[in-house]
Every structure is written in structure tokens, then in C-alpha cells.
């Protein structure tokens, strides 16, 4: 988590939290203050797969390079509205070309996600993860000369190497429930158990955290393990008038990891979870949130999540359920109305349950 960016965070006046701005994503993003949003979770229209029936819609460009350019423009504005320690989760899909005009030979994938990600990296985005969303209930396919498509990528992007990421909020139970003591320093399948194995290349990661835990006699982190980058989640059960809706579970993990429960009301900096895994013992608990800025005030408010392609409003629904502030942008008036109803129903149910 970053603690050095307070100076660059701008005031958050005029932030339309709890609203869906109806219009084109790039245009509406320009109306939001710089450095005001903690995280973006979004699924833009894929290249030539849906017709949302709106002028100015993204996705019906003639060539994949034009689609890349349209999303690059949106992401340029996202970079401006994001706090320096913010992040973006981008769910993308690919398309099979039907004409060379689309940017690839007919029957070839156009490689839209790859082209976009190379462009975004060149624009200063750091690509921190490529998550595989594996669908146990994929769309049935009648193809006979290739494999059916059963997953989509979700990219985690940041503007800075230091960013807010609350891993403890999304840990999952470790498979080995017994934290048995292990013998350290012995050969493992990853090497000698001490330092870097001799076969590591110059950019290979280290397992130093794992080794420290082993040295303390633990086989797993007491709060659970990192959920990893393959997420098996069924496609959305929501069957409203919108036909490309996120499953709520796909939004939940990104939201908990990168939309802070509390940010300083004065400077906007995220409160951090105290490191309570002081001693990696069985008594470790999820750390309390503590302010991490020098502001005198201890006033806080929840972090803000933005979806510039709000559709039926799944990001708002999950934000309402988890007490985060949200902002949506959606080109279609009809989808925006659908989303507002859906979010209001969730918020009312959450309030009743509280
Ligand atoms: C894949 S859907 C998003 C679905 C959403 N994640 C959900 O859970 O319902 C993409 C959305 O982008 C909207 N859209 C298309 N072009 C747009 C543009 N230029 N600006 C803003 N929204 C746009 C479409 O109307 C559509 O609702």
C-alpha cells in the first residue's frame, strides 16, 4: 500500500457518488475531478460482439485497432480520475475475425485484449495481473474445428508500483488446514529451501515469504492463502433486459482488495490494515484499519469504485452490499434506469438486514 502520494491527491468536491451519469464514457469521465476514485471495476463492450443500439457506442468499430483506440481514450481519462494509489480491473473478451477489415484473417482471433494491453502498457499502465475467469457454465458452442471458449481475462492495472491492495481481505482457506511444523532447510521441489534455487533466471521471483513461514514451522499463512489468478465463477444469474451482465462474485473480490473500507475524509488516502501477523502464529487475526496520513482529522468515509460501462449496475449492487461508495457511467438511458432500480433494491435489503 502506498503512503507517499498524499500531496498529489486533489479534493473530492463534486464527486457524483451513488449516481449513474448517462452518456459516453470518455465525455462523462472528463467531468469528474482528478485523483478522486479508488478503484475501477469494469467490462467494456467487446469488439463486434454486441449491439447495444446506441449511437456512439463502443464495440461496433470496423477494425480492432479502432476499438483499441476508443478504449485507450477512455483509459486515459480513467488514469486522470484515479487516485495515485488506485487500480483498475478490466474484464475483456476476444472475437473471431470475419473479414481482414476487422484486423485479422477471417477465422483468426483478432487478439483484441492483447492489442489493448500492449497499448495500455505503452501509455504508462502497469499490468499487475492477468486473471483467468474460468466459467463452469460457458455458452454452448457448436464449433467442430476448435475448442469452445470457456474463460475470459481480467486484468489488474495500476498507475504506480505502490498501490492499495488489501490481500488479507480476500484470502481463502488453505487446503492444508493443519499448520503442522515442517523441517526447514531441506530440499523441496522448488529448490533447496534456502535462498534462490540455482536454476532461477534473472527475473524469477523469490519464495522468501514462504521460507520465512516455514522457518517458523508453518505450512500456510494463518489467515488463509492468496486466492491466485484462476477464478472459477459461474456466469451471471441476472436475467434482466441487459444481456452482458457481470456475475456479482466477479466484482466482490476486486472490490474488497482495492476499494478501501475507509479513506481519510480530508486527503482521500486509504486507511491501512495494521500488520498483525507480527508473529506468524495461530492467533493471527485480520488487522484493524488504521489511518495512514498525517491529517489531524480522523474522519473517514468509504472508498469509491467507478464503472464507466455500468450496464445493469452490478458494480453498484456489490458496492452497496459492501458499504463502498460508487459511481457509474452508462450510454444507454434504459440500462441506467435498470441499474438504478437494481441498486436501490439491494441497498434497501442491505439496510433492512443491518
Ligand atoms: C459489457 S456491458 C457492461 C455490463 C456490466 N458490467 C453489468 O454488470 O451489467 C457494456 C456496457 O457499455 C455500454 N456502453 C457502450 N458504449 C459506451 C460508451 N461509449 N460509453 C458508456 N457506455 C457505453 C453498453 O450500453 C453496455 O451497457
Amino acid at each position: 500500500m502506498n503512503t507517499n502520494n498524499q500531496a498529489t491527491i486533489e479534493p473530492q468536491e463534486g464527486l457524483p457518488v451513488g449516481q449513474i451519469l448517462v452518456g459516453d464514457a470518455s465525455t462523462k469521465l472528463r467531468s469528474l475531478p482528478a485523483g478522486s476514485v479508488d478503484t475501477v471495476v469494469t467490462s467494456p463492450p467487446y469488439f463486434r460482439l454486441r449491439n447495444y443500439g446506441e449511437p456512439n457506442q463502443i464495440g461496433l468499430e470496423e477494425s480492432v485497432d479502432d476499438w483499441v483506440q476508443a478504449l485507450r481514450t477512455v483509459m486515459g481519462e480513467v488514469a486522470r480520475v484515479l487516485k495515485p494509489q488506485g487500480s483498475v480491473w478490466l474484464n475483456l473478451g476476444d472475437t473471431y475475425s470475419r473479414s481482414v477489415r476487422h484486423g485479422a484473417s477471417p477465422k483468426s482471433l483478432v487478439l483484441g485484449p492483447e492489442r489493448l494491453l500492449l497499448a495500455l502498457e505503452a501509455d504508462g499502465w502497469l499490468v499487475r495481473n492477468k486473471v483467468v475467469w474460468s466459467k463452469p457454465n460457458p455458452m454452448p458452442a457448436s464449433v467442430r474445428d476448435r475448442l469452445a471458449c470457456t474463460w475470459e481475462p481480467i486484468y489488474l492495472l495500476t498507475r504506480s508500483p505502490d498501490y492499495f491492495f488489501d490481500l488479507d481481505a480476500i484470502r481463502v482457506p488453505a487446503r492444508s488446514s493443519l499448520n503442522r511444523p515442517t523441517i526447514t532447510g531441506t530440499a523441496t521441489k522448488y529448490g533447496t529451501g534456502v535462498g534462490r534455487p540455482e536454476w532461477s533466471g534473472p527475473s524469477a521471483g523469490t519464495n522468501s515469504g514462504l521460507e520465512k513461514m516455514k522457518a517458523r514451522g508453518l505450512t500456510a499463512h494463518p489467515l488463509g492463502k492468496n486466492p491466485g489468478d484462476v477464478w472459477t465463477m459461474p456466469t451471471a444469474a441476472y436475467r434482466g433486459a441487459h444481456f452482458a451482465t457481470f456475475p456479482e462474485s466477479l466484482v466482490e473480490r476486486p472490490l474488497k482488495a482495492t476499494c478501501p473500507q475507509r479513506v481519510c475524509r480530508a486527503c482521500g488516502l486509504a486507511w491501512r490494515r495494521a500488520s498483525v501477523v507480527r508473529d506468524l502464529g495461530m492467533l493471527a487475526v485480520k488487522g484493524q484499519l488504521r489511518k495512514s496520513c498525517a491529517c489531524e482529522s480522523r474522519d473517514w468515509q468509504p472508498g469509491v469504485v467507478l464503472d464507466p460501462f455500468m450496464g445493469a449496475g452490478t458494480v453498484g449492487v456489490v458496492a452497496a452490499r459492501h458499504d463502498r461508495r460508487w459511481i457509474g457511467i452508462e450510454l444507454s438511458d434504459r440500462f441506467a434506469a435498470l441499474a438504478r432500480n437494481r441498486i436501490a433494491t439491494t441497498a434497501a435489503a442491505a439496510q433492512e438486514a443491518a
Side-chain angles (χ1 to χ4, degrees), residues 110-280:
V110 296
L111 301 177
E114 286 84 351
R115 290 176 199 245
L116 176 60
L117 264 291
L118 285 170
L120 294 180
E121 194 278 334
D123 290 345
W125 291 94
L126 309 184
V127 185
R128 294 294 294 147
N129 268 125
K130 176 162 69 178
V131 176
V132 169
W133 169 23
S134 165
K135 305 172 187 177
N137 58 342
M139 287 258 281
S142 55
V143 290
R144 297 171 67 108
D145 60 353
R146 65 167 173 83
L147 306 176
C149 301
T150 61
W151 68 278
E152 287 181 14
I154 302 169
Y155 293 91
L156 170 60
L157 308 173
T158 66
R159 297 300 295 172
S160 153
D162 297 312
Y163 54 93
F164 178 85
F165 195 88
D166 188 359
L167 178 61
D168 284 353
I170 57 165
R171 289 184 183 277
V172 294
R175 209 171 278 161
S176 124
S177 56
L178 283 177
N179 253 337
R180 288 184 304 267
T182 52
I183 302 164
T184 55
T186 53
T188 69
K189 83 180 195 188
Y190 301 109
T192 61
V194 180
R196 289 159 63 87
E198 60 195 28
W199 44 257
S200 345
S203 295
T206 69
N207 274 329
S208 57
L210 202 65
E211 280 165 12
K212 270 187 210 150
M213 276 195 304
K214 280 187 176 172
R216 289 165 190 254
L218 297 166
T219 54
H221 192 290
L223 296 177
K225 63 176 184 175
N226 186 314
D229 60 0
V230 178
W231 301 353
T232 303
M233 293 171 179
T235 54
Y238 175 71
R239 291 278 173 264
H242 198 284
F243 34 77
T245 309
F246 268 157
E248 289 179 26
S249 55
L250 202 68
V251 177
E252 225 154 60
R253 197 173 268 169
L255 186 91
K256 286 183 180 173
T258 58
C259 190
Q261 272 173 272
R262 295 181 178 195
V263 298
C264 171
R265 211 178 256 277
C267 74
L269 204 70
W271 286 35
R272 293 184 298 150
R273 206 174 281 289
S275 170
V276 280
V277 192
R278 283 178 297 251
D279 174 7
L280 288 169

Side-chain angles (χ1 to χ4, degrees), residues 316-329:
V317 165
V318 178
R321 196 166 288 144
H322 289 279
D323 289 329
R324 301 310 201 270
R325 293 179 296 156
W326 59 268
I327 301 170
I329 300 174

Side-chain angles (χ1 to χ4, degrees), residues 23-26 41-46 50 52 54-59 74 91 238 242 244-247 251 307-315 329-332 335 342:
D24 168 64
S26 299
V41 183
T42 196
S43 177
Y46 304 164
R50 300 262 189 273
Y52 294 101
E54 294 287 333
N56 294 328
Q57 67 182 302
I58 290 176
V74 174
N91 169 219
Y238 175 71
H242 198 284
T245 309
F246 268 157
V251 177
D307 184 350
F309 299 101
M310 189 71 156
T314 313
V315 165
I329 300 174
E330 169 54 50
L331 190 59
S332 155
F335 293 155
R342 206 171 151 224

